[in-house]
Amino acid sequence: MAQPRTRRPARPREEVYAAARAAIAEHGLARLTMAGLGEQLGMSAGHLLYYFGSKDQLLLETLRWSEAQLGERRGRALARREDPVLERLDRYLELYLPEGPGDPRWILWIEVWSRSPGTAELRQGQLDIEAPWQDDLTALLAEGRATGLLPAPGATPARAAQLRALLDGLAVPLAIGLPATTRDGALAQARSAAHALLGLPA
């Protein structure tokens, strides 16, 4: 009698997300196949599709996982009320920008942005994932204004949205490795722009 086939245990989702993030960062979503990712993880493509449904959903869930990890670090940094608001704002800028060309987290974002125009689910997922960044920055700026440390005029949520738009504009060239872009240069520009936008001395 043939022995029953031993089923391989499913990989933890965190392991799937980590492998997907690395593969997407290296090759892009278009070249990623469920079969290839499954082979890397010792799983079948059907198993991956059962859990994620599509590559778009895998991309979105991988980005959500990646941002949740960074969100924990951001939350700890911004919660340190003993640190001045401007120091925490600087830490926010550092966490927001890519670590350098090919930063896997930012490559995920670029993939989501490029695919979201045709997919309502991706657009909504993008908004949901971005919301904590907006909320945390809005709260930090509101604290600075309430304590008199930030003189920025205008509505605080609008200032936070404008600052994030500036950061996105600095982040993409760095993430894709455009010539003459560096993390130090992007950070210096981010700090200068933040001070100008918030009405602070240069």
Side-chain angles (χ1 to χ4, degrees):
M1 177 182 294
Q3 295 295 319
R5 181 179 297 177
T6 302
R7 295 183 62 185
R8 293 179 179 176
R11 296 286 188 180
R13 283 208 168 204
E14 290 75 12
E15 188 174 345
V16 176
Y17 294 146
R21 181 172 64 178
I24 293 169
E26 185 175 359
H27 303 296
L29 188 67
R31 294 178 58 189
L32 175 69
T33 66
M34 290 299 205
L37 181 60
E39 183 177 353
Q40 181 180 341
L41 291 164
M43 300 170 62
S44 69
H47 198 163
L48 287 172
L49 285 169
Y50 174 79
Y51 281 108
F52 298 104
S54 67
K55 285 203 298 184
D56 279 351
Q57 188 61 34
L58 174 62
L59 171 64
L60 187 60
E61 293 304 318
T62 300
L63 178 60
R64 198 184 307 277
W65 167 78
S66 178
E67 288 296 315
Q69 290 186 315
L70 189 58
E72 293 177 1
R73 293 170 55 195
R74 184 181 71 249
R76 289 193 298 269
L78 299 187
R80 293 176 58 88
R81 291 297 187 96
E82 66 273 18
D83 294 341
V85 167
L86 288 181
E87 285 187 16
R88 284 180 280 151
L89 175 61
D90 197 65
R91 184 60 177 148
Y92 181 98
L93 302 180
E94 291 177 351
L95 289 170
Y96 199 102
L97 291 174
E99 292 295 327
D103 183 324
R105 168 180 162 255
W106 268 95
I107 298 302
L108 290 177
W109 269 116
I110 292 169
E111 288 282 356
V112 167
W113 287 339
S114 70
R115 298 173 76 88
S116 65
T119 308
E121 184 178 16
L122 278 181
R123 289 196 299 274
Q124 185 57 54
Q126 170 191 329
L127 291 174
D128 293 342
I129 297 168
E130 288 181 352
W133 284 99
Q134 174 72 14
D135 293 344
D136 285 349
L137 182 56
T138 299
L140 183 63
L141 298 186
E143 178 188 340
R145 292 185 68 182
T147 56
L149 297 175
L150 295 179
T156 300
R159 284 287 181 263
Q162 291 162 1
L163 180 52
R164 286 186 51 246
L166 286 166
L167 292 173
D168 288 342
L170 292 169
V172 172
L174 175 58
I176 64 177
L178 288 186
T181 57
T182 65
R183 178 170 165 83
D184 286 345
L187 271 172
Q189 292 181 64
R191 288 166 179 147
S192 177
H195 279 224
L197 186 63
L198 300 174
L200 294 166

